[in-house]
């Protein structure tokens, strides 16, 4: 396939200069067919290896795939889109990241019985944004020390890319955080609290003292959540 043909087949909003997808898998390809899939989205300034250490603590039924963000900050450090406080942040950059992830996911989803999204920090913003773009496509979402993107904060008050009206509170979403998280600002928490109401079936647990991180008890709760929300017959 030529570069011109490849570019023509990419979805609208997918920048031509984005790199090929880089993914880490928890299983070899021959063992993935028919398994439920968890897609992991790392945080700002990190990479696809960051969250893979959690895979061994999740239910063994799942295949885990960790995707690298497309924008390079430095060697080994990537972002999905600019920080919301940055001057170059736009909702177009969020859309581009979502389309980038979906372009890969659409290639592999047919091999799996379901797809669950898990994101840390900015990765939670990605996971919830994919859900908001494709409300019927995902079994569950796990958000760790993160937030959902507020289009109005970026000057996009009338925003149709997210199909929130189709989210009727049935998709299970786990949100774990420390109320004293020093990184996720109060406005992001307030918006996310408002968004989850009526849009998802929320399980929200706070973990005092973990700051902007993930704890052992939290991952134990995530495992239980996945067993009940995705694996339970």
């Amino acid at each position: 396939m030529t570069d011109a043909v490849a570019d023509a087949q990419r979805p609208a909003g997918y920048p031509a200069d984005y790199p090929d997808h880089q993914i880490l898998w928890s299983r070899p390809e021959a063992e993935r067919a028919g398994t439920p899939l968890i897609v992991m989205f790392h945080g700002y300034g990190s990479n696809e290896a960051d969250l893979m250490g959690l895979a061994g603590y999740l239910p063994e039924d799942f295949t885990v795939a960790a995707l690298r963000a497309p924008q390079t900050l430095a060697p080994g450090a990537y972002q999905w889109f600019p920080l919301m406080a940055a001057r170059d942040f736009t909702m177009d950059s969020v859309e581009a990241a979502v389309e980038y992830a979906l372009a890969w996911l659409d290639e592999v989803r047919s091999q799996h019985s379901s797809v669950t999204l898990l994101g840390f920090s900015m990765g939670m913003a990605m996971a919830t944004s994919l859900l908001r773009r494709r409300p019927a496509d995902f079994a569950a979402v796990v958000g760790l020390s993160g937030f959902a993107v507020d289009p109005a904060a970026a000057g996009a008050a009338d925003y149709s890319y997210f199909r929130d009206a189709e989210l009727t509170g049935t998709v299970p979403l786990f949100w774990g955080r420390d109320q004293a998280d020093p990184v996720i600002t109060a406005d992001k928490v307030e918006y996310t609290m408002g968004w989850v109401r009526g849009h998802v079936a929320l399980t929200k647990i706070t973990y005092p003292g973990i700051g902007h991180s993930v704890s052992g008890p939290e991952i134990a709760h995530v495992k239980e959540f996945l067993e009940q929300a995705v694996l339970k017959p």
Side-chain angles (χ1 to χ4, degrees), residues 17 46 68 98 106 108 110 116 119 138 155 177 196 203 211 231:
D17 61 348
S46 189
R68 178 190 295 176
V98 169
D106 287 344
V108 302
S110 64
T116 294
F138 304 108
R177 60 182 297 268
V196 294
T203 298
L231 299 180

Side-chain angles (χ1 to χ4, degrees), residues 56-227:
Y57 299 96
L58 303 178
E60 62 182 13
D61 310 63
F62 286 93
T63 292
V64 178
L67 178 65
R68 178 190 295 176
Q71 296 183 345
T72 302
L73 296 171
Y78 304 89
Q79 67 176 8
W80 298 101
F81 46 81
L83 294 171
M84 291 186 68
R87 297 177 66 178
D88 57 344
F89 173 80
T90 65
M91 290 308 298
D92 286 347
S93 65
V94 176
E95 293 180 24
V98 169
E99 294 299 333
Y100 177 77
L102 289 174
W104 165 75
L105 189 51
D106 287 344
E107 294 178 358
V108 302
R109 67 166 57 253
S110 64
Q111 303 169 28
H112 299 277
S113 58
S114 66
V115 179
T116 294
L117 308 174
L118 183 154
F120 172 77
S121 193
M122 182 183 279
M124 179 180 170
M126 276 296 295
T128 51
S129 292
L130 264 71
L131 174 66
R132 297 168 80 177
R133 179 59 178 168
R134 298 267 192 92
D137 281 14
F138 304 108
V141 175
V142 175
L144 308 175
S145 299
F147 62 98
V149 173
D150 178 5
D158 185 14
Y159 191 66
S160 61
Y161 181 80
F162 288 161
R163 293 153 53 188
D164 284 352
E166 298 174 37
L167 285 167
T168 57
T170 59
V171 178
L173 185 147
F174 178 98
W175 185 17
R177 60 182 297 268
D178 183 349
Q179 289 181 313
D181 186 326
V183 174
I184 306 304
T185 55
D187 59 315
K188 293 182 179 65
V189 174
E190 182 180 3
Y191 174 79
T192 305
M193 284 298 299
W195 174 78
V196 294
R197 296 188 182 100
H199 288 115
V200 296
L202 179 65
T203 298
K204 181 178 180 292
I205 305 178
T206 57
Y207 301 90
I210 70 169
H212 192 64
S213 66
V214 180
S215 71
E218 183 177 21
I219 293 305
H221 290 150
V222 169
K223 180 179 180 180
E224 294 173 4
F225 169 82
L226 293 170
E227 289 169 345

